[in-house]
Amino acid sequence: MAPLLQTEGLTKSYAGPVLSDVSFELQPGEVHALVGENGAGKSTFCGIVAGLRTPDSGRMWLQGRPYAPANKRVAEAHGVRIVLQELNLIETLSVSENLFFDQLPHTLGGWISRASLREAARNALGRVGLSELDPDAPVSGLGIGQKQLVEIAAGLARQCRLLILDEPTAALTPADAERLFLQIQKLKDAGVGIIYISHHLEEVLRLADRVSVLRDGRRVATRPRGELTADEMIRLMVGRALDDTAARAEKRSAGPVLLEVQNLSAPPRVREVSFALHRGEILGFAGLMGAGRTETVRALFGADPRQTGKILLDGRDVTAGLHSPTDAVRLGIGFLTEDRKSQGLLLDKPVRLNISLAQLNGDLRGPAGALRRQREVAAAQTWVDRLAIRCASIEQIAGSLSGGNQQKAVLARWLYRNCQVLICDEPTRGIDVGAKSEIYRLLDQFAREGKGVLVVSSDLKELLALCDRIAVISAGRLVETFERGKWTEDQIMSAAFSEMKV
Ligand SMILES: Nc1ncnc2c1ncn2[C@@H]1O[C@H](COP(=O)(O)OP(=O)(O)OP(=O)(O)O)[C@@H](O)[C@H]1O
Ligand SMILES: [Mg+2]
């Protein structure tokens, strides 16, 4: 039988080569995972298959027939769909309109039938565990995990024979991911072929029938699942064994209280939250999706209004002067948001500017207010090197960086800004294994300089590896704080569920 998809010699260059001579094969009912470092070319490859980009050379066949989609619509007409890595919902439209954007159900007069739209939306949302969500609600009010689920629901709602999932679980909780895996199994059973991209290697080993590894735009290996371990995958991805000693840093010692938050409320999600962050400390916020972790740090940062709450920095009450992100930044608080696309990066500006923004009113201004151009270039280059941001040059437009490299660019900006408190919301979302330990190392170093880090993460392993203390938020309340050495995963999980109504 002809493979569902076959590619031969796919090649693509922008400023430099991005994909070189990639041959690949997918059978019906197969999950074929694609792994590789940030910038290895995974999304580019999938973009070509889904008709979003055209290759410079190379050929493709779909069930034995030549296949060269001129655009996304043509690919979709052939039954090829992609759920993109970056969120692409239209904020001003409702959930159901987003779900069926390109095929809004029509009645005779050409009017959109609200009832049938809602019905179809309920079905689609049910499959990803969002049956509680109102299909008429605007997308702008959803959290990032919910947005990701809506995108997946949109992909699943259509008939297709080849589905590409580009890092679908990056913003999902373990429970939501499980629900997705169940849907993937159903699609497999129905003979749909799936290309699955993920940086979670344990996920790949569980789901994939075969795994292909891309390195610097080349396919360096394809193996059946049984013939590959996570360590081997990493070695193939980075071309060497990974040194993980960085993640096992020695103990940090906490200094005096740097930030104190008393009785912070921002209804309906944040209720009377109090905590203290010490100098030299990394404090984690654990909890379930929707528990109010992001909302808590947003209210602290002045991004959302607070109803009550007192905020002290180095013992000084700064509550009255902290009502916006601008205030927060002025006071020395930084915020690496979970949603880099809408809140972090200037997508149409070069990497250089995205990094130097941090000091445009500081270090980089000369005596007469003139921009110190050479200093700017040098600083940007230093950060690109330190975080190993993969770009053609610092002049590359940030929006064209790979997903993981965009995340690194936002982090570089905050580290360069030299704030005292750095809030990180899902700092390693979409980051490859090697870069992850590099980011842990940078945050560790930041804390060791006597500053403080607040980390929100859905990945409990990440918090366990990184934090000195972990505070658990459940239904908007900070229910318990655990110290390193005195915690177990079970205790933290049960605290996360403690305020949930059953
Ligand atoms: N329009 C573009 N202009 C210039 N370079 C581009 C463009 N699109 C992609 N690239 C480059 O192609 C390379 C591969 O990017 P791609 O998005 O395919 O990586 P990826 O493997 O999906 O990485 P990640 O894990 O970070 O998502 C990157 O180095 C990126 O900078
Ligand atoms: Mg990608």
Side-chain angles (χ1 to χ4, degrees):
M1 192 172 57
L4 174 58
L5 173 77
Q6 193 177 352
T7 78
E8 198 183 271
L10 286 189
T11 296
K12 177 91 187 167
S13 295
Y14 291 100
V18 168
L19 277 185
S20 308
D21 196 23
V22 175
S23 300
F24 178 91
E25 195 194 87
L26 175 72
Q27 296 293 341
E30 181 187 28
V31 175
H32 195 149
L34 209 50
V35 300
E37 290 186 287
N38 295 133
K42 305 177 297 292
S43 298
T44 306
F45 174 80
C46 290
I48 290 173
V49 175
L52 304 172
R53 314 181 189 214
T54 42
D56 299 336
S57 62
R59 295 193 291 168
M60 298 191 277
W61 294 264
L62 202 62
Q63 286 178 326
R65 298 216 185 92
Y67 169 70
N71 56 46
K72 184 164 178 244
R73 287 204 166 271
V74 176
E76 286 174 356
H78 281 88
V80 177
R81 292 211 154 261
I82 185 165
V83 175
L84 291 169
Q85 173 177 16
E86 296 295 327
L87 300 174
N88 287 282
L89 302 175
I90 300 166
E91 298 270 325
T92 49
L93 295 183
S94 72
V95 169
S96 56
E97 286 163 338
N98 264 290
L99 280 172
F100 300 109
F101 184 62
D102 52 351
Q103 51 167 36
L104 292 169
H106 284 55
T107 56
L108 270 183
W111 293 93
I112 298 166
S113 156
R114 287 271 151 203
S116 64
L117 188 58
R118 205 170 293 134
E119 174 68 24
R122 286 237 161 77
N123 276 332
L125 293 171
R127 295 173 76 178
V128 294
L130 286 180
S131 16
E132 301 290 300
L133 194 67
D134 176 8
D136 293 332
V139 154
S140 54
L142 305 184
I144 191 160
Q146 286 174 314
K147 284 183 187 168
Q148 177 81 74
L149 286 170
V150 169
E151 291 235 20
I152 293 170
L156 294 176
R158 274 96 160 172
Q159 289 288 333
C160 63
R161 49 182 163 169
L162 197 174
L163 182 65
I164 301 167
L165 296 166
D166 194 349
E167 294 191 41
T169 56
L172 297 190
T173 60
D176 290 323
E178 286 303 322
R179 225 171 268 126
L180 171 66
F181 300 159
L182 207 68
Q183 296 297 331
I184 288 177
Q185 187 57 48
K186 282 191 186 159
L187 292 172
K188 262 177 80 106
D189 295 345
V192 175
I194 295 169
I195 302 177
Y196 190 89
I197 299 180
S198 178
H199 290 296
H200 300 296
L201 302 184
E202 69 295 340
E203 210 169 66
V204 165
L205 287 173
R206 198 179 128 186
L207 286 177
D209 299 297
R210 276 192 291 177
V211 181
S212 283
V213 182
L214 282 186
R215 181 163 82 228
D216 297 330
R218 295 182 179 276
R219 185 175 59 81
V220 292
T222 296
R223 305 262 181 86
R225 168 184 37 196
E227 296 174 19
L228 204 58
T229 63
D231 283 344
E232 276 176 297
M233 252 193 278
I234 294 171
R235 199 176 43 75
L236 289 164
M237 279 163 60
V238 301
R240 61 188 154 81
L242 200 66
D243 170 23
D244 66 347
T245 46
R248 275 185 260 117
E250 357 59 274
K251 199 177 176 322
R252 286 174 295 264
S253 48
V257 173
L258 168 59
L259 168 76
E260 191 171 351
V261 172
Q262 296 171 358
N263 212 10
L264 176 71
S265 288
R269 288 278 185 76
V270 184
R271 306 182 207 181
E272 296 162 0
V273 170
S274 302
F275 64 91
L277 171 69
H278 294 253
R279 287 190 174 275
E281 187 183 44
I282 301 182
L283 171 66
F285 276 172
L288 306 173
M289 183 171 94
R293 295 164 306 164
T294 292
E295 288 79 359
T296 302
V297 288
R298 281 179 59 87
L300 161 62
F301 191 63
D304 291 333
R306 302 181 298 267
Q307 189 177 65
T308 65
K310 194 164 158 186
I311 300 166
L312 299 104
L313 271 176
D314 283 321
R316 188 166 65 92
D317 188 345
V318 296
T319 319
L322 204 177
H323 290 291
S324 69
T326 319
D327 294 341
V329 170
R330 198 169 25 79
L331 288 164
I333 305 175
F335 191 173
L336 178 72
T337 61
E338 61 175 342
D339 188 353
R340 59 181 167 255
K341 198 165 184 184
S342 67
Q343 296 171 21
L345 276 189
L346 303 176
L347 292 170
D348 58 347
K349 293 286 186 298
V351 174
R352 168 182 45 78
L353 183 70
N354 270 285
I355 295 174
S356 66
L357 257 186
Q359 291 289 353
L360 278 190
N361 295 316
D363 255 16
L364 296 178
R365 288 285 166 203
L371 178 65
R372 293 173 147 147
R373 196 49 194 229
Q374 273 183 340
R375 204 183 266 205
E376 185 200 14
V377 167
Q381 191 61 53
T382 304
W383 283 104
V384 162
D385 294 343
R386 275 182 82 176
L387 273 73
I389 299 174
R390 194 179 290 213
C391 51
S393 80
I394 56 170
E395 295 308 319
Q396 185 174 341
I397 300 302
S400 72
L401 291 179
S402 80
N405 284 296
Q406 292 187 9
Q407 177 75 354
K408 290 191 204 174
V410 189
L411 180 63
R413 183 197 303 166
W414 287 115
L415 291 173
Y416 183 30
R417 195 185 291 264
N418 200 10
C419 36
Q420 292 299 305
V421 176
L422 183 59
I423 304 169
C424 299
D425 198 355
E426 305 290 354
T428 61
R429 192 163 78 83
I431 295 277
D432 72 50
V433 278
K436 222 178 222 183
S437 46
E438 183 57 21
I439 286 179
Y440 295 165
R441 202 184 57 74
L442 287 163
L443 293 179
D444 171 68
Q445 192 185 331
F446 184 87
R448 277 173 202 283
E449 286 165 11
K451 302 165 192 166
V453 184
L454 260 184
V455 183
V456 175
S457 176
S458 309
D459 182 355
L460 190 50
K461 296 250 175 332
E462 172 159 300
L463 293 178
L464 295 171
L466 201 56
C467 299
D468 301 293
R469 287 185 302 143
I470 296 179
V472 181
I473 298 199
S474 182
R477 293 186 195 283
L478 197 163
V479 287
E480 208 168 341
T481 304
F482 296 91
E483 281 185 35
R484 173 168 286 276
K486 293 183 191 155
W487 61 43
T488 67
E489 282 189 50
D490 285 351
Q491 285 172 324
I492 294 175
M493 283 316 287
S494 69
F497 278 103
S498 61
E499 293 280 310
M500 301 283 290
K501 295 187 188 65
V502 271

